[in-house]
Amino acid sequence: MNYQIAVLAGDGIGPEITDGAIRVLQKIGEIYHHTFEFTHYLMGGCAIDETGCPLPEETVKGCLASDSVLLGAVGGPKWDSLPGDKRPEKGLLGIRKALGLYSNIRPAKLWSSLAHASPLKYELVKDGVEIIIVRELIGGIYFGERGLDEIDGEKSAWDTERYSVHEIERIARIACELAMKRSKIVTSVDKANVLESSRLWRKTVHEYAAKHFPEIEVRDVLVDNMAMQIVKNPAQFDVVVTSNIFGDILSDEAAQVTGSIGMLASSSLGDTTLGLYEPIHGSAPDIAGKDLANPIATILAAGMMLRDSFGLTKEYEAIEKAIQSVLDEGYRTADIYSEGMKKIGGKEMAERIAAAI
Ligand code: IPM
Ligand code: MN
């Protein structure tokens, strides 16, 4: 098969990590007889520099015309002083919205060979941790009405969180479908003791699950308690569904608990197979261009693309196994390095993973 992949390398370490993932996809193509065609488009800070806009029209068109999108990371200090709607991040939020990608799946898994990289006590993680965060991606406060004005001569800024029943139902469906293949338990995270939008969230998730997935048990956890439980006993969670902002925050936390944010990939999908696949980490401008960045999250994201957009499960498994074997051989990038291991650069890590396929 021939697959068209749009690549949005972005800023900072974005180009080096997407290069690593492309290298691995090329190897998969050779072995499993697929052709992957990569077309690069501008998005984020690099797009601002070239075109003045974080998400050029051509990028949206190119992504819509492709089979799927691979993304690196966007942003950096260079663009930090721009107004909100001109920032690199606006490009990322904009492409998610333009492609209708409401469902963001972020599996935080502890790799057995990295159990010692977790900042948690070994007893807490030794039996494995796999938290699958299902984050609503194109609603809530990141897309709500906002403003900057003045009250009595004093500057004042505001953002709003709004969720409609259908937005909650469609993300609840994704979480329930996933949980049906796993523990049949969905943890729904909200702040229903304070927020009106959370109360509707909670009610809707329960009603939806009871009606369409009677076998699923929905457990509610308040977001502040959730932040604590993730470090207290992460193994208690399986599928977690939550809003855009809570999912953003909790997925970084879950990533660190499982070793390194450099290991976590995510898929974003809507109602078609055209998805966007990216690492959950940012553009790390401080280490950009130094060959220090860990490409594994992006390589895993590319693997998720094969599995979730193209139905290539064997190929996904081959990537996962290759990563595991390179880790088992003791190779580590700086972020997951521990004493006695072999420290290598990001480029070599990608090469080794490609070679292990
Ligand atoms: C993420 C990032 C983005 C988000 C930013 C860069 C807009 O933090 O993908 O988690 O908040 O969604
Ligand atoms: Mn984030």
Side-chain angles (χ1 to χ4, degrees), residues 139-314:
I141 197 164
Y142 290 8
F143 290 90
E145 278 180 48
R146 66 193 60 196
L148 176 63
D149 44 30
E150 271 185 27
I151 297 179
D152 298 333
E154 186 192 13
K155 257 205 187 136
S156 157
W158 51 279
D159 301 271
T160 50
E161 172 95 343
R162 178 186 276 277
Y163 270 111
S164 65
V165 167
H166 92 272
E167 287 177 305
I168 302 167
E169 284 184 346
R170 66 185 181 182
I171 196 69
R173 173 175 58 79
I174 303 287
C176 289
E177 281 171 359
L178 242 153
M180 283 303 287
K181 295 184 223 151
R182 301 172 53 92
S183 66
K184 299 199 171 138
I185 298 169
V186 170
T187 302
S188 174
V189 177
D190 61 39
K191 186 70 186 170
N193 54 347
V194 178
L195 302 177
E196 203 56 49
S197 52
S198 277
R199 286 191 275 272
L200 183 65
W201 178 281
R202 188 176 283 206
K203 179 170 178 281
T204 306
V205 171
H206 278 274
E207 285 176 2
Y208 183 83
K211 183 158 172 219
H212 300 278
F213 295 89
E215 284 174 65
I216 295 278
E217 180 192 339
V218 178
R219 294 183 184 164
D220 303 301
V221 180
L222 294 170
V223 65
D224 45 354
N225 184 27
M226 186 69 185
M228 181 179 74
Q229 294 299 332
I230 287 176
V231 288
K232 196 174 165 203
N233 177 17
Q236 68 182 295
F237 298 113
D238 183 44
V239 175
V240 173
V241 66
T242 191
S243 64
N244 201 341
I245 186 168
F246 295 160
D248 186 20
I249 298 166
L250 295 174
S251 58
D252 271 32
E253 187 191 10
Q256 189 55 53
V257 160
T258 53
S260 165
I261 196 162
M263 299 292 298
L264 241 89
S266 91
S267 77
S268 306
L269 282 158
D271 289 324
T272 72
T273 57
L274 200 183
L276 183 145
Y277 297 83
E278 55 176 315
I280 80 152
H281 60 69
S283 60
D286 51 320
I287 60 165
K290 298 182 182 157
D291 196 31
L292 286 172
N294 183 352
I296 294 181
T298 318
I299 292 170
L300 269 172
M304 287 174 87
M305 173 191 294
L306 301 184
R307 185 189 63 189
D308 300 343
S309 279
F310 306 155
L312 305 176
T313 306
K314 260 194 339 264

